[in-house]
Amino acid sequence: MKNYLEGQFAEKVEGFRLPRYNELPDMGLYLEQVTRYINGLICPIGCAEITPSMVSNYVKKSVIPAPQKKQYYCEQIAYLIFLSVAKNVLSMENISLLFEIQRATYSPDIAYNYFCNELENMLMFICGLKPSVDEIGATHSEAKTMMRSVIISASQIIFVNNCFNVVKSIKEDEENKQLL
């Protein structure tokens, strides 16, 4: 069953690519548009949807910058994409702290692009599409080490959740066959 599970996950991951910072919408998206855009990116690999009320709470709690004239731009969208993945393994308090560390260490575009590269790197490795994990980036810092650890943890959770979904699907299929 292990090969079947990895195969199912590998199919999802093979075509997975997050847009880089300069590819994110920067014309201003309204709340519904932002959630639809982000969910279209993260749901295919099994991440839970982000809702408009979640985004509003992140703004209220100052986890992400407030929208400008009810519109969200590139930087806010980048934070929300990361948040959508990281919330699987971190508390909001720790995500806020990680954002503070990131702001003091790296620009939003560098931090977000590192996140994208590292998430894709880890997912490809976990599902067996590459033999080893690449070393991403040239610098070494505590902030980068923390981020990598978050991404490793989130990647493992994404993988395990996909495995459980496949197992549940197999069980449902077997139960349906017994009913026939």
Side-chain angles (χ1 to χ4, degrees):
M1 181 178 286
K2 183 177 183 231
N3 290 336
Y4 181 70
L5 296 175
E6 286 179 355
Q8 291 281 315
F9 187 56
E11 288 175 17
K12 291 179 182 181
V13 169
E14 255 179 330
F16 176 72
R17 182 184 179 279
L18 288 172
R20 297 314 187 252
Y21 195 84
N22 65 345
E23 299 168 339
L24 292 172
D26 201 29
M27 72 287 253
L29 298 178
Y30 291 102
L31 185 56
E32 290 290 334
Q33 293 170 311
V34 168
T35 56
R36 200 171 28 252
Y37 176 73
I38 292 171
N39 289 334
L41 297 172
I42 63 167
C43 290
I45 59 164
C47 288
E49 285 190 356
I50 188 168
T51 65
S53 62
M54 292 165 80
V55 174
S56 296
N57 284 333
Y58 302 149
V59 171
K60 261 188 230 168
K61 294 179 180 183
S62 299
V63 177
I64 65 164
Q68 301 164 3
K69 297 180 183 177
K70 296 186 179 185
Q71 293 183 325
Y72 294 81
Y73 291 87
C74 187
E75 184 175 342
Q76 294 145 315
I77 293 169
Y79 280 124
L80 286 167
I81 292 170
F82 171 78
L83 208 152
S84 298
V85 173
K87 71 183 172 82
N88 292 297
V89 295
L90 292 178
S91 67
M92 276 306 126
E93 180 182 352
N94 286 343
I95 289 173
S96 292
L97 188 55
L98 192 59
F99 283 163
E100 281 180 41
I101 293 167
Q102 171 265 303
R103 287 182 194 109
T105 313
Y106 299 103
S107 64
D109 61 325
I110 289 173
Y112 174 76
N113 288 340
Y114 171 76
F115 159 71
C116 292
N117 290 328
E118 194 69 88
L119 181 63
E120 292 162 9
N121 179 35
M122 290 299 165
L123 290 173
M124 295 282 284
F125 172 71
I126 289 168
C127 67
L129 294 172
K130 61 192 314 185
S132 62
V133 176
D134 296 335
E135 187 64 37
I136 307 287
T139 62
H140 296 280
S141 67
E142 288 181 7
K144 183 179 173 188
T145 301
M146 287 176 69
M147 178 64 81
R148 189 170 218 209
S149 296
V150 169
I151 294 167
I152 290 168
S153 300
S155 298
Q156 294 290 349
I157 291 294
I158 290 167
F159 175 73
V160 169
N161 285 339
N162 274 281
C163 289
F164 282 124
N165 288 338
V166 169
V167 170
K168 288 175 191 174
S169 177
I170 292 169
K171 286 182 76 170
E172 286 174 10
D173 287 347
E174 289 172 359
E175 290 170 5
N176 287 337
K177 285 180 186 175
Q178 289 177 356
L179 292 175
L180 299 174

